[in-house]
């Protein structure tokens, strides 16, 4: 924390919720801002998670697996089972590996929430010389929207690929209420709402849960600044919240993956 | 909470990670898992087959055992029958042989009796002649009666 800023609850929270930004290609305008912390952390985590899997997989044997290979296999089979239940078709071509990538990546990004924020901030400040650095990429709405919109485009792509332009148009106009031309506007409106709400709920669910979790940690951290009792209870509740958060981060990663699988499966199935 | 270029950058990172997983992570692992599943399934099938074979073998062995028992009892029955036959044959033979011996013995006895009677008769004749000659020696001239004596002796013979 920079010494010239007065330490108030507002500045404390603001400090922890400020991104390290840069402008892309020297362009002006708020859209051309890049959250370097989000991007770098998420890429590092993706490379670590998938790289670990890749290293295991390269040495994978069909014989007796090592403990690490068994762990990777357990994860893969768990996701494969989930996909198998909702997707009927060649799941190994796209949807199952995509689900694996999403689960691993989102889980790792969510898990950053458990790292103690002020210790991490101190490390960023004093080891890397970075004043603003947000550790949890999924508390950046850009990350969750990027994922959800990518999934949304996949849904559109598979709709067109499986049903064709005609089939999909028919579905937009004639489902879910019926083929009667009088119902066409209603059907279209319904589908429009559905296609808009899908990426919104998909991304904001993840963002909201993880962001709220971080805010709770921040509030507990602020309580610790009020005195010995505050420190004690802040630490105690912080530990409790962190333990509870182990469940939340896993659950949210799982939900995000499952929704992806369900949306893509729905795009494959005609009504 | 502002939407900016980070979104596009993250989407690019996301698609790269998906591509990487599809291409390098998923297939080899799936291959290994499927191969292991096949090995396990084969092992289980082999075990099942072995169990089946064992069942067949034990069935077969019990059949063989039953057959052997049956054969043995047949052989024993045959042997018993044969031994009975042999005993019967032996009895018949013995009876015949006994009959033959009996006949022989009877013939011999008759022969003995006959010869004994002959010799007795001879001896009686001689004794009679001897006795007569003793009596006559005093009163009869041996010479005068010699022809008579010889006649009697011959008659007695």
């Amino acid at each position: 924390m920079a010494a010239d800023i007065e330490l108030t609850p507002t500045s404390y929270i603001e400090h922890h919720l400020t991104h390290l930004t840069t402008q892309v290609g020297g362009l002006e305008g708020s859209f051309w801002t890049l959250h370097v912390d989000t991007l770098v952390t998420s890429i590092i985590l993706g490379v670590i998670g998938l790289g670990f899997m890749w290293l295991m997989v390269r040495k994978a044997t069909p014989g007796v697996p090592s403990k690490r290979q068994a762990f990777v296999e357990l994860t893969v089979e768990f996701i494969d089972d989930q996909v198998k239940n909702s997707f009927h078709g060649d799941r190994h071509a796209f949807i199952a590996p995509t689900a694996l990538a999403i689960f691993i990546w989102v889980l790792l990004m969510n898990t950053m929430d458990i790292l103690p924020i002020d210790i991490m901030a101190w490390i960023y400040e004093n080891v890397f010389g970075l004043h603003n650095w947000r550790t949890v990429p999924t508390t950046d709405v850009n990350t969750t929207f990027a994922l959800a919109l990518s999934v949304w485009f996949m849904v559109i792509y598979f709709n067109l690929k499986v049903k064709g332009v005609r089939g999909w148009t028919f579905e937009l106009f004639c489902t879910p209420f019926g083929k009667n031309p009088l119902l066409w506007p209603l059907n279209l409106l319904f589908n429009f709402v559905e296609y808009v709400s899908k990426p919104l709920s998909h991304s904001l669910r993840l963002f909201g849960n993880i962001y709220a979790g971080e805010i709770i940690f921040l509030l507990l951290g602020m309580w610790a600044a009020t005195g010995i009792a505050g420190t004690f209870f802040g630490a105690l509740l912080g530990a409790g919240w962190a333990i509870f958060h182990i469940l939340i981060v896993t659950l949210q990663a799982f939900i995000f993956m499952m929704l992806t699988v369900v949306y893509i499966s729905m795009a494959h199935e005609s009504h | 909470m502002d939407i900016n270029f980070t979104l596009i950058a993250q989407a690019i990172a996301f698609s790269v990670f998906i591509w990487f997983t599809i291409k390098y992570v998923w297939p080899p692992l799936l291959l290994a898992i499927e191969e292991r599943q096949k090995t396990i399934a084969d092992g289980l099938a082999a075990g099942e087959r072995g169990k089946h074979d064992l069942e067949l073998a034990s069935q077969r062995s019990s059949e063989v055992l039953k057959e052997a028992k049956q054969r043995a009892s047949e052989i024993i029955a045959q042997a018993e029958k044969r031994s009975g036959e042999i005993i019967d044959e032996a009895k018949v033979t013995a009876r015949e042989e006994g009959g033959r011996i009996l006949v022989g013995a009877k013939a011999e006895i008759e022969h003995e009796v006959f010869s004994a009677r002959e010799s007795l008769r001879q001896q009686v004749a001689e004794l009679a002649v001897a006795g007569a000659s003793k009596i006559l020696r005093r009163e009869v001239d041996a010479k005068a009666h010699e022809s008579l004596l010889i006649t009697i002796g011959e008659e007695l013979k």
Side-chain angles (χ1 to χ4, degrees):
Chain A
M1 186 136 309
D4 55 339
I5 298 172
E6 194 191 349
L7 189 57
T8 65
T10 315
S11 73
Y12 173 76
I13 286 187
E14 254 179 23
H15 164 69
H16 279 295
L17 293 183
T18 307
H19 285 288
L20 179 69
T21 60
T22 183
Q23 292 301 116
V24 182
L27 291 162
E28 290 301 311
S30 69
F31 178 77
W32 295 106
T33 309
L34 192 66
H35 294 166
V36 181
D37 46 3
T38 302
L39 196 63
V40 170
T41 314
S42 67
I43 287 175
I44 288 173
L45 289 173
V47 168
I48 288 174
L50 295 170
F52 168 74
M53 292 215 133
W54 181 62
L55 283 179
M56 276 306 101
V57 160
R58 275 202 324 169
K59 291 184 287 181
T61 96
V64 179
S66 64
K67 283 197 175 94
R68 270 179 292 179
Q69 191 190 331
F71 172 73
V72 172
E73 279 180 16
L74 213 65
T75 318
V76 165
E77 280 182 349
F78 164 70
I79 285 163
D80 196 34
D81 272 353
Q82 302 300 327
V83 175
K84 193 162 42 182
N85 288 336
S86 47
F87 184 77
H88 312 289
D90 182 18
R91 63 183 186 280
H92 300 309
F94 181 80
I95 184 165
T98 304
L100 176 69
I102 289 176
F103 182 69
I104 298 296
W105 198 28
V106 172
L107 180 64
L108 283 176
M109 289 194 289
N110 287 353
T111 309
M112 292 301 104
D113 212 358
I114 293 171
L115 296 178
I117 36 170
D118 285 308
I119 294 177
M120 292 313 288
W122 185 88
I123 290 173
Y124 295 136
E125 182 91 52
N126 295 302
V127 179
F128 298 106
L130 301 161
H131 179 59
N132 289 314
W133 189 274
R134 287 180 64 182
T135 319
V136 196
T138 38
T139 54
D140 184 351
V141 81
N142 285 296
T143 304
T144 62
F145 263 123
L147 288 166
L149 281 176
S150 302
V151 171
W152 190 73
F153 279 115
M154 287 175 205
V155 168
I156 305 260
Y157 170 77
F158 281 114
N159 261 315
L160 289 172
K161 193 187 166 200
V162 174
K163 297 162 190 163
V165 181
R166 268 175 63 93
W168 190 41
T169 316
F170 174 82
E171 201 175 283
L172 287 178
F173 279 94
C174 299
T175 56
F177 299 119
K179 287 180 200 165
N180 195 320
L182 284 175
L183 292 170
W184 283 6
L186 201 61
N187 282 332
L188 194 61
L189 183 71
F190 185 88
N191 281 313
F192 177 74
V193 170
E194 198 178 304
Y195 274 97
V196 170
S197 66
K198 262 181 193 172
L200 280 176
S201 69
H202 199 189
S203 58
L204 290 179
R205 180 181 295 106
L206 179 63
F207 167 75
N209 274 286
I210 305 304
Y211 190 77
E214 191 172 69
I215 296 291
I216 299 275
F217 279 122
L218 287 175
L219 293 177
L220 289 170
M222 268 165 52
W223 195 9
T226 58
I228 289 172
T231 308
F232 177 73
F233 286 111
L236 197 68
L237 288 173
W241 184 242
I243 291 165
F244 181 57
H245 230 58
I246 294 173
L247 175 69
I248 290 184
V249 297
T250 317
L251 191 68
Q252 287 304 322
F254 177 71
I255 288 172
F256 197 88
M257 178 205 82
M258 271 322 285
L259 281 174
T260 306
V261 171
V262 167
Y263 289 162
I264 295 178
S265 299
M266 274 163 69
H268 280 78
E269 278 160 18
S270 306
H271 288 287
Chain B
M1 187 174 143
D2 45 355
I3 303 294
N4 55 35
F5 190 72
T6 316
L7 192 154
I8 289 163
Q10 287 288 74
I12 292 167
F14 182 43
S15 42
V16 169
F17 285 141
I18 287 178
W19 168 80
F20 182 80
T21 311
I22 291 174
K23 187 127 173 103
Y24 294 107
V25 176
W26 193 265
L29 197 67
L30 198 74
L31 208 72
I33 290 173
E34 276 174 354
E35 213 165 301
R36 176 156 349 107
Q37 276 174 340
K38 199 175 157 297
T39 312
I40 291 170
D42 285 353
L44 287 176
E48 198 63 34
R49 217 166 33 239
K51 215 171 124 190
H52 185 66
D53 285 353
L54 181 69
E55 237 165 61
L56 279 184
S58 75
Q59 208 175 334
R60 174 119 184 77
S61 82
S62 77
E63 263 170 28
V64 167
L65 207 66
K66 216 167 86 183
E67 210 175 298
K69 267 183 188 161
Q70 203 178 333
R71 268 194 73 87
S73 68
E74 265 172 26
I75 288 170
I76 287 170
Q78 254 178 11
E80 271 172 1
K81 204 172 136 202
R82 184 87 192 93
S83 76
E85 273 174 10
I86 288 172
I87 288 170
D88 284 353
E89 261 172 41
K91 271 182 187 163
V92 170
T93 319
R95 203 168 290 139
E96 277 172 7
E97 189 67 31
R100 244 198 323 276
I101 289 169
L102 208 61
V103 169
K106 268 182 186 163
E108 208 165 310
I109 288 166
E110 263 169 32
H111 180 72
E112 289 291 313
V113 167
F114 180 75
S115 64
R117 198 181 286 152
E118 277 306 290
S119 73
L120 271 176
R121 191 180 284 155
Q122 182 103 16
Q123 276 170 9
V124 166
E126 271 168 15
L127 273 175
V129 170
S133 61
K134 265 180 189 169
I135 296 162
L136 289 174
R137 197 160 291 158
R138 289 182 190 166
E139 298 159 20
V140 182
D141 183 12
K143 281 175 185 167
H145 300 290
E146 198 176 1
S147 64
L148 183 66
L149 283 171
I150 289 165
T151 315
I152 294 168
E154 272 176 5
E155 271 175 22
L156 282 170
K157 273 183 187 171

